[in-house]
Amino acid sequence: RKDNGGVKDPPATDTNTNDTNTNDTITNNDSGDEGYEQQWYRQHRILVVGALGGRLDHELSNMSAMHEFHETNIVLMGRTSLAMLIPPGTTVVQPDLSVEGPSCGLVPLMGPARVTTTGLMWNFQDTEISFGKFISTSNQVAEVPGGGEEVVITTDRALVWTMDISRLQQGILSSDDGRGFI
């Protein structure tokens, strides 16, 4: 067996486990021990690059994993969009409109949700959104003169927040200092 420099091999997986599930299983053990790694993953953002924009079944699997590991701050990214889980309660999203948005949406994959928002072009006031009836697509972050945009979302059920990030790709190719974002 080849020496891997002290890096733990991931647990063996089966055909019922996708890559996102495998990685989250490694970081979220079920031992009940709130160790350093588990706390770190709850306090930091995990970017899953390439999770959107390919096969729909893979995208849905990644969104399912995002719900399964709801205590982990997972952001799914594709070439032109991102998705993250908004938990029940009130969440404040502060997009960087130089690379994010303004197009955005809220999708309730786990059943009907009552939603109230501020900071969107078309806000909701205790509105029920439901897959198969009405979901929020093609909304926009309301721009504030001088910046400082924020979207406040209050919901009784987890939602998927989506944003356009096509300007991020342009920024990677032509940033102000010539280095790009990566």
Side-chain angles (χ1 to χ4, degrees), residues 101-106 119-121 136-142 151 161-164:
S103 297
C104 61
L106 289 166
L120 296 175
M121 184 73 70
S136 171
T137 61
S138 303
N139 208 330
Q140 292 188 2
V141 174
V151 177
W161 166 258
T162 66
M163 283 201 81
D164 173 44

Side-chain angles (χ1 to χ4, degrees), residues 31-101:
S31 67
D33 178 27
E34 279 288 62
Y36 172 79
E37 285 183 12
Q38 201 168 15
Q39 289 176 11
W40 189 93
Y41 282 104
R42 289 188 179 147
Q43 295 171 359
H44 293 81
R45 184 168 291 149
I46 298 173
L47 299 176
V48 184
V49 179
L52 302 173
R55 286 179 36 190
L56 179 60
D57 58 332
H58 289 188
E59 291 177 3
L60 291 171
S61 179
N62 288 330
M63 288 187 194
S64 177
M66 194 169 52
H67 281 81
E68 181 180 353
F69 299 101
H70 58 91
E71 292 182 4
T72 304
N73 190 356
I74 299 172
V75 178
L76 306 177
M77 292 185 69
R79 293 181 70 190
T80 60
S81 61
L82 67 77
M84 64 185 214
L85 195 64
I86 302 295
T90 299
T91 300
V92 178
V93 177
Q94 296 176 312
D96 177 355
L97 291 186
S98 69
V99 292
E100 294 177 292

Side-chain angles (χ1 to χ4, degrees), residues 151-172:
V151 177
V152 180
I153 304 162
T154 303
T155 179
D156 65 348
R157 191 175 296 242
L159 302 169
V160 174
W161 166 258
T162 66
M163 283 201 81
D164 173 44
I165 57 168
S166 55
R167 287 184 283 186
L168 177 62
Q169 185 176 5
Q170 295 166 356
I172 290 172

Side-chain angles (χ1 to χ4, degrees), residues 98-158:
S98 69
V99 292
E100 294 177 292
S103 297
C104 61
L106 289 166
V107 182
L109 294 180
M110 301 301 285
R114 296 212 72 79
V115 181
T116 298
T117 62
T118 60
L120 296 175
M121 184 73 70
W122 298 280
N123 282 308
F124 297 104
Q125 183 61 47
D126 196 34
T127 304
E128 183 177 279
I129 60 176
S130 176
F131 208 75
K133 291 185 180 180
F134 173 70
I135 61 173
S136 171
T137 61
S138 303
N139 208 330
Q140 292 188 2
V141 174
E143 295 190 41
V144 176
E149 293 81 8
E150 73 176 23
V151 177
V152 180
I153 304 162
T154 303
T155 179
D156 65 348
R157 191 175 296 242

